[in-house]
Amino acid sequence: MQIERWQSGSSPVISVVIATVPSTDHHEVVERLKCQDFDKSWEVIVVVDDEPTDQRCKARNIGLREANADIVAHTDDDVSPPETWLSTIHSAFDDDIICIEGRVEGGLQYRGEGIYVGCNIAVCRSEALRVGGWNEEYAGWRDDTEFGWRIEEEGKGQCIYRDDVLMRHPPTPRTGFRADQERALRDKYPEKYRERILGTWRKRLLLFLQKRGWDQYVLKLLG
């Protein structure tokens, strides 16, 4: 693992952690972060994973440990953060909040179903470390969801969703489905899985059918 660091000034109040690989150009997102309207000091920590297997969670944990700030914002190497991203995150944190998940627009659409999206999560560094950081066994699929749910259950504080904490996602998501990790998450958190993941997909399916006028027939078939 290689670490690259940029700071806007001394004593940063937010650390941004980006996990990447040598074949991906992360410089564009770093340049966008340098244009934030945030009037306090912050830093960007890029952890380059040069190992042959997916070690993004290991890279995120390295960034979490290397961070100098109490607030750590995690994102990806291919996103487009709005200029207000850091200032909105900072204004949303208070003494009781330990995790904030935000809205995602673009190739991935997210509106705060309590599932957590790795390109737009900000955490209290001490609490994230106290609960064990990112679970490296989930790297590549559901690692963000498992991380968020574990902080909810084991962290000492509140986890919230903020619609104004916005991240823009590229047109094509790169994450691939992993059945083994999906089952592991379901078995570890059966209630959350049933309510949030299965429940969310049912809602989206019903909305899809409603737009086409088919929902009344499906509801009749279901009971």
Side-chain angles (χ1 to χ4, degrees):
M1 298 281 182
Q2 304 172 34
I3 298 173
E4 302 173 13
R5 190 190 298 264
W6 175 86
Q7 288 186 328
S8 70
S10 60
S11 303
V13 298
I14 297 181
S15 298
V16 179
V17 171
I18 301 171
T20 188
V21 294
S23 60
T24 301
D25 184 4
H26 58 272
H27 295 94
E28 184 174 346
V29 64
V30 172
E31 290 304 312
R32 287 180 179 273
L33 287 166
K34 290 179 181 179
C35 297
Q36 292 287 295
D37 68 357
F38 193 42
D39 60 1
K40 301 183 185 297
S41 177
W42 76 96
E43 67 177 353
V44 180
I45 301 170
V46 179
V47 185
V48 182
D49 170 17
D50 52 7
E51 299 184 27
T53 56
D54 189 335
Q55 298 290 323
R56 76 183 69 179
C57 288
K58 181 178 179 180
R60 286 167 172 166
N61 282 332
I62 290 173
L64 193 58
R65 292 192 294 269
E66 288 285 327
N68 290 309
D70 294 331
I71 298 172
V72 177
H74 290 278
T75 194
D76 292 339
D77 57 13
D78 57 352
V79 296
S80 300
E83 292 181 359
T84 58
W85 187 55
L86 291 181
S87 58
T88 309
I89 288 173
H90 187 261
S91 65
F93 265 94
D94 62 29
D95 293 339
D96 186 50
I97 292 174
I98 59 173
C99 180
I100 295 174
E101 58 165 347
R103 178 163 56 105
V104 179
E105 296 283 358
L108 175 65
Q109 299 279 325
Y110 181 71
R111 293 293 186 280
E113 294 91 355
I115 297 174
Y116 298 88
V117 178
C119 69
N120 200 10
I121 298 178
V123 294
C124 170
R125 176 178 179 270
S126 59
E127 281 301 301
L129 289 172
R130 193 183 66 78
V131 303
W134 294 75
N135 189 332
E136 296 174 15
E137 294 181 359
Y138 282 82
W141 182 256
R142 292 299 187 197
D143 45 295
D144 39 13
T145 305
E146 194 278 336
F147 180 56
W149 288 0
R150 183 156 35 87
I151 291 178
E152 281 186 14
E153 296 204 350
E154 301 179 16
K156 296 179 180 178
Q158 185 180 5
C159 297
I160 65 171
Y161 167 78
R162 287 284 297 254
D163 196 67
D164 56 347
V165 176
L166 169 66
M167 181 57 70
R168 296 190 178 94
H169 196 275
T172 305
R174 296 177 303 186
T175 303
F177 177 74
R178 288 280 304 273
D180 57 336
Q181 292 174 189
E182 188 77 14
R183 287 192 297 269
L185 183 74
R186 179 199 63 196
D187 294 343
K188 185 176 182 180
Y189 300 100
E191 291 186 12
K192 280 185 170 66
Y193 189 91
R194 182 175 61 254
E195 293 173 1
R196 299 185 185 182
I197 293 181
L198 296 182
T200 296
W201 280 111
R202 289 190 182 104
K203 290 175 185 176
R204 288 178 178 171
L205 176 60
L206 186 57
L207 181 62
F208 174 84
L209 296 172
Q210 284 176 332
K211 289 180 178 179
R212 287 154 179 79
W214 301 339
D215 58 304
Q216 55 183 321
Y217 305 108
V218 174
L219 289 174
K220 287 180 180 178
L221 289 172
L222 293 176

